[in-house]
Amino acid sequence: MPILGRFHDGRVAEVHGVELHYLAEYETGSLLINAATDHHELARWPAADLYVVPGRRGELRLACSSASAGARVVVQGAENVARIRATLPVLQSKQRREAGRQTRLAVIATLALASVIAAYLYGVPLLANRLVGLVPTDWEQRLGATVATQMEASLGGFQLCDPDPDSLANRAIARFGQAAMAESGSPFALSINVVRSDIPNAFALPGGQVFFFSALLEQAQFPDEFAGVLAHEIGHVAHRHGMEQLISSAGTGALIGFILGDMTGISLAAGLGSTIIDASFSRDAERQADAFAAAVAQRMDFDPSGLADLLNRVGRDDDFARALALLSTHPLTDDRKAALAELGAQRPDGLEPPFTPTEWRAIRTMCDRTAFNIGQTKTK
């Protein structure tokens, strides 16, 4: 008794009602497709070329690799489907092989995706330190300027507390920066900017720019605290941690930029303006910056543990301030506190302090609008 079905020849839209017969010919046999009306042969498909294609529930759709791409035989009804499968056992073995192939592809795709994710999360950050050495210094400076522009836009603009580079405060800060960088071997010319902001923070950008926010300066009670934070940020510049962080954050995009020779600084910096504020440096980077600050302290007579004191003071503020403060981007662990205290105890005696009392007063009040306005009036 033939099995009834429908036949699409893949060339025209006409659908034929057909009778299906199995012919035991050659090695695997053939599926004979005859018209249901006059029983003439419409097609003969080698059983070895048959395969199942997805269809509706309760039906079986067959295609043939040696026939037209759109050719289909459709069998409906559980009984007819079961008879076809029993008659053509090759379909079962092919389905099992296809299921195995799909499973292998899924496993390979999953492993490939996991490898990409692992490389992005762990591989690139591990390589970032080595990749930094491949970045030309002039490109890093342009990149830092691009990031600074993004950050300025996102924070509503940077207003310098004291725009006069020859003021007592700015000259003292610039002298401190030059002395701190003197033995670092850094290729960058340091630029330290004290700007008005309600966020108690400080950060270093690629290319030598350091920003110190007025809200953090207001929290500094002693020159050692200001000097400790400033030397720490200069340490990030000297070790090029900002560039390393951007490479880690940009991940594969940064690598593609290097490979394609993208030296504009735009593609890598795009969307990364908030990275310096929002993300923390690695623990190794923080330890390196702390060690740099301690080395500067040994030459300039200040206590690097003042950095920890200022961080602790900022951390006692309200929740909003803590979320945006230096403490959130430079986490102060107990190990760091102890290390800073030990480094501070190692500094020699008899050195000149980094700032004179007069200079510290000028720095401490440089963001005070009243004092600034009076100074401006006197210079006119």
Side-chain angles (χ1 to χ4, degrees), residues 1 12 23 44 59 89 100 103 125 137 177 180 194 208 212 229 241 259 283 299 320 323 350 366 375:
M1 180 179 177
V12 297
L23 297 179
R44 184 177 299 201
E59 72 176 19
T103 301
T137 54
V194 181
F212 206 106
V229 173
H241 289 152
I259 293 170
R283 289 191 175 186
R299 304 197 313 267
F320 176 76
M366 67 186 299

Side-chain angles (χ1 to χ4, degrees), residues 224-252:
D224 284 7
E225 296 175 351
F226 176 75
V229 173
L230 192 54
H232 178 94
E233 297 303 329
I234 294 172
H236 285 312
V237 171
H239 288 285
R240 303 177 77 174
H241 289 152
M243 189 68 235
E244 181 180 327
Q245 186 185 37
L246 289 183
I247 292 175
S248 297
S249 300
T252 52

